[in-house]
């Protein structure tokens, strides 16, 4: 038992950390895991104690409904190191709450947010050395919750597992991306699971990503599932457009994932005096804005890249080529402000950052 107040965490440390043989500032996304992972099981109506153990394979029987029926949800978040060496989290309570919503939608037992946050602290306390220096990169945190029921019947899960693992990744130069507006595949529809993070959403998106790649694009631009006219998201990011100096992004309403980055970017833009409209926007309207020279910027937001500039939108046989990033006024500035807050380099007016001692 370790010293995390009321939190029950049992720790089995790795015999020799792999950290000394590892270049924290050169790792690519997900290539090397940190030393430990946290595992906790839900059984007979209650969450058991958490175990922090060396990262590695877990024996599971093949019939579990996570594998058979996709009863599996996840989160994605990052920890940064401040200039003075502290480990910083960014709005982690939002990830904790979103994991609850994701679990509830798949009839999985939710993990109470206080527990999630206490376990996250416990894991980061053990593997704090894996958080790269602030100017080199960040630690990615992957919590996931899935059914380990092996009854083969399709039914709500009774036995579940929560696993949280982390890995360091280096800042990479992210080139602006090209996106392909797919009319063939849809990501979400009213009453579906577009506003949560179940594993199945990502499996169902892969062919659209392949279709995009065949058109020379890095990502799908998703249109709404009913009419395939309204722009919804971009790959696994929320999407923003700058038209005539004002910002437009689709409203949350059941088919859009409520991104932590999306919410933070909207808040910071408004702080900077930029008008942000959370309104439905059709691909036709995007095309018309482009035709009259008013489409100034387009970008995606998400935890991994924070803000990804979009260079080109392909729709049917048209290409909307956007102005070069150096000429953009809105997205580069909000990205810089957001990253400065996340990395502890700027004042944090909304008290988003949680400092771990
Ligand atoms: C996770 C995710 C996002 C981004 O959410 P953040 O909280 O900003 O990381 C956007 N769209 C989809 C579909 C996602 O899965």
């Amino acid at each position: 038992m370790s010293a995390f107040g009321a939190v029950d965490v049992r720790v089995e440390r790795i015999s020799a950390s792999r950290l000394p043989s590892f270049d924290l500032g050169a790792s690519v996304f997900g290539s090397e895991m940190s030393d430990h992972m946290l595992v906790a099981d839900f059984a007979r109506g209650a969450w058991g104690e958490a175990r922090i153990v060396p990262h590695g394979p877990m024996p599971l029987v093949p019939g579990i409904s996570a594998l058979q029926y996709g009863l599996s949800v996840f989160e994605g978040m990052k920890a940064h190191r401040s200039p003075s060496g502290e480990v910083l989290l960014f709005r982690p309570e939002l990830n904790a709450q979103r994991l609850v919503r994701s679990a509830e939608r798949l009839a999985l037992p939710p993990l109470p947010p206080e527990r999630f946050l206490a376990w996250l602290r416990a894991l980061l306390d053990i593997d704090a050395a894996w958080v790269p220096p602030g100017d080199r990169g960040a630690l990615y945190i992957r919590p996931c919750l899935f059914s380990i029921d092996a009854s083969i019947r399709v039914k709500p899960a009774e036995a579940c597992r929560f696993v949280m693992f982390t890995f360091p990744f280096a800042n990479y130069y992210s080139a602006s991306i090209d996106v392909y507006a797919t009319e063939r595949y849809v990501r979400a529809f009213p009453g579906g699971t577009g506003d949560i993070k179940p594993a199945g959403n990502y499996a169902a998106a892969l062919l659209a990503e392949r279709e995009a790649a065949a058109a020379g694009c890095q990502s799908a631009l998703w249109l709404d599932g009913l009419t395939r006219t309204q722009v919804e998201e971009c790959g696994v990011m929320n999407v923003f457009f700058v038209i005539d100096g004002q910002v437009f992004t689709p409203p949350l309403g059941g088919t859009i994932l409520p991104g932590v980055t999306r919410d933070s970017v909207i808040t910071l833009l408004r702080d900077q005096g930029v008008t942000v409209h959370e309104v439905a926007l059709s691909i036709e309207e995007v095309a018309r804005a482009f035709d009259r020279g008013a489409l100034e910027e387009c970008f995606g937001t998400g935890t991994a890249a924070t803000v990804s500039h979009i260079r080109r939108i392909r729709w049917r046989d048209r290409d909307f080529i956007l102005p070069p990033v150096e000429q953009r006024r809105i997205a580069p500035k909000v990205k810089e402000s957001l990253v400065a807050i996340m990395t502890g380099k700027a004042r944090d007016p909304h008290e988003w950052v949680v400092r771990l001692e």
Side-chain angles (χ1 to χ4, degrees):
M1 206 66 80
S2 59
F4 295 105
V7 187
D8 41 349
V9 179
R10 191 150 44 92
V11 179
E12 179 200 327
R13 277 181 189 270
I14 199 164
S15 48
S17 171
R18 285 170 293 110
L19 195 51
S21 63
F22 183 67
D23 181 1
L24 274 182
S27 51
V28 296
F29 194 79
S31 64
E32 186 83 27
M33 297 294 153
S34 309
D35 284 331
H36 299 90
M37 61 184 187
L38 180 142
V39 183
D41 285 353
F42 179 94
R44 288 175 296 280
W47 284 98
E49 70 170 5
R51 288 153 288 145
I52 293 178
V53 296
H55 181 278
M58 294 181 289
L60 290 166
V61 296
I64 59 171
S65 50
L67 286 175
Q68 301 302 324
Y69 309 121
L71 276 71
S72 178
V73 297
F74 72 95
E75 270 303 319
M77 50 207 296
K78 283 196 295 195
H80 290 94
R81 194 173 290 287
S82 75
S84 59
E86 296 158 299
V87 174
L88 310 178
L89 292 170
F90 186 74
R91 310 183 77 183
E93 67 287 352
L94 296 185
N95 299 94
Q97 290 158 10
R98 194 166 64 190
L99 188 66
V100 168
R101 284 202 310 106
S102 292
E104 284 173 341
R105 178 64 181 78
L106 297 200
L108 289 164
L111 178 65
E114 321 76 67
R115 267 230 175 125
F116 175 99
L117 295 171
W119 287 350
L120 173 59
R121 278 174 184 269
L123 182 63
L124 291 185
D125 189 62
I126 302 268
D127 277 341
W130 285 85
V131 182
D135 53 343
R136 304 288 297 276
L139 188 78
Y140 186 86
I141 302 159
R142 170 51 60 89
C144 55
L145 196 166
F146 53 92
S147 166
I148 52 173
D149 254 356
S151 75
I152 292 294
R153 290 191 10 249
V154 181
K155 61 168 185 57
E158 278 157 29
C160 279
R161 180 162 293 175
F162 173 74
V163 179
M164 185 154 49
F165 56 91
T166 72
F167 55 85
F169 72 105
N171 287 331
Y172 49 94
Y173 165 72
S174 46
S176 44
I177 58 170
D178 295 354
V179 301
Y180 180 83
T182 178
E183 293 179 298
R184 182 164 185 183
Y185 302 106
V186 298
R187 193 193 79 86
F189 41 83
T193 57
D195 61 345
I196 57 157
K197 293 178 95 75
N201 280 9
Y202 305 84
L206 289 175
L207 270 190
E209 299 294 337
R210 199 179 267 175
E211 183 192 36
C217 297
Q218 287 78 41
S219 205
L221 183 67
W222 297 106
L223 304 178
D224 74 284
L226 289 183
T227 68
R228 305 191 194 191
T229 58
Q230 309 298 310
V231 177
E232 294 210 320
E233 298 209 46
C234 159
V236 292
M237 293 186 287
N238 294 113
V239 69
F240 289 75
F241 298 87
V242 182
I243 300 172
D244 287 325
Q246 301 195 344
V247 175
F248 294 80
T249 193
L252 303 179
T255 58
I256 309 280
L257 193 287
V260 176
T261 322
R262 174 189 182 277
D263 184 81
S264 309
V265 161
I266 291 173
T267 302
L268 292 180
L269 285 171
R270 288 180 175 152
D271 288 353
Q272 293 168 1
V274 176
T275 301
V276 183
H277 303 276
E278 293 180 72
V279 291
L281 186 73
S282 69
I283 187 77
E284 301 263 9
E285 287 171 285
V286 172
R288 279 199 295 276
F290 177 80
D291 288 340
R292 62 187 175 83
L295 182 60
E296 292 155 5
E297 302 182 26
C298 183
F299 58 97
T301 64
T303 292
T306 317
V307 171
S308 279
H309 304 294
I310 293 172
R311 186 187 77 97
R312 170 174 71 114
I313 301 169
R314 182 159 184 87
W315 176 53
R316 298 186 175 162
D317 57 353
R318 300 202 55 193
D319 277 313
F320 312 138
I321 311 239
L322 285 106
V325 173
E326 310 78 68
Q327 288 175 19
R328 302 188 186 188
R329 296 273 165 270
I330 306 264
K333 184 173 165 200
V334 77
K335 178 173 188 172
E336 195 182 306
S337 319
L338 181 57
V339 171
I341 294 171
M342 285 174 166
T343 53
K345 291 193 185 123
R347 215 169 54 81
D348 174 22
H350 301 283
E351 298 184 356
W352 283 336
V353 171
V354 174
R355 284 160 199 275
L356 305 182
E357 61 291 334

